[in-house]
Amino acid sequence: MNILVLHGPNLHLLGKRQPEIYGHQTLNDINTALDQFVASSSFDVTLKILQSNHEGELVSIIGEHIDWADGILINPAAYTHTSVAIRDALSTVGLPVIEIHLSNIYAREEFRHHSYVSGVAAGVISGFGAYSYILALEAMIHILGPKLTNHKDIV
């Protein structure tokens, strides 16, 4: 199964940007952890991991992977609260989507409580720091499980 992992704006600054909120792990640390999780699992999973600070680029990436991806993990970051375009792209491709946030967006400023993406997502994982990505990957594997040849490990 092919899973597209998208990181939104400013996530390339992880480890330096407000570590009291987002933690000390870098984006590379998170990507490495995802790759290691896949490598150590018994599942046949291929990840494609991309980051962009540009809304239009994220929209294009989503559309360009309509025939490749089986599911999408996305941390839209600030675009969570502003981007109808990203929501529309995710809705258009018709793939399972899991929305990810490092921080608990509901324990933060009021404007962060609204997500345009969550309405088209199978679920939202928020507040577990970098581990949120592993939880999301596990959830996506569970959602896509019937496509696996070895799905006896799925809970």
Side-chain angles (χ1 to χ4, degrees):
M1 80 180 59
N2 296 326
I3 299 174
L4 179 62
V5 181
L6 293 177
H7 305 290
N10 297 312
L11 293 175
H12 66 296
L13 299 174
L14 287 175
K16 297 176 185 173
R17 178 182 178 226
Q18 297 175 288
E20 69 280 2
I21 294 174
Y22 301 110
H24 294 280
Q25 290 182 297
T26 66
L27 188 60
N28 189 55
D29 294 336
I30 291 170
N31 293 341
T32 298
L34 289 168
D35 286 335
Q36 289 174 345
F37 180 86
V38 167
S40 68
S41 78
S42 61
F43 302 113
D44 183 18
V45 175
T46 301
L47 299 178
K48 188 169 199 178
I49 304 172
L50 301 167
Q51 187 274 332
S52 178
N53 293 319
H54 305 283
E55 180 181 28
E57 185 174 356
L58 290 166
V59 168
S60 293
I61 290 168
I62 292 165
E64 290 163 2
H65 288 84
I66 191 170
D67 293 323
W68 180 84
D70 297 304
I72 299 172
L73 305 181
I74 184 169
N75 182 343
Y79 290 135
T80 302
H81 322 291
T82 63
S83 183
V84 174
I86 290 174
R87 176 197 171 99
D88 286 351
L90 292 168
S91 179
T92 297
V93 296
L95 300 170
V97 173
I98 298 178
E99 179 182 341
I100 304 167
H101 298 286
L102 297 165
S103 67
N104 178 354
I105 61 174
Y106 301 103
R108 297 187 61 198
E109 304 93 337
E110 183 72 28
F111 72 88
R112 296 186 194 277
H113 298 184
H114 179 267
S115 168
Y116 282 99
V117 174
S118 63
V120 296
V124 179
I125 299 179
S126 172
F128 297 98
Y131 189 57
S132 296
Y133 281 88
I134 299 298
L135 292 170
L137 180 55
E138 288 179 326
M140 185 59 73
I141 290 169
H142 179 75
I143 289 169
L144 298 174
K147 294 184 177 204
L148 295 173
T149 56
N150 178 15
H151 56 80
K152 67 178 186 276
D153 296 330
I154 296 176
V155 179

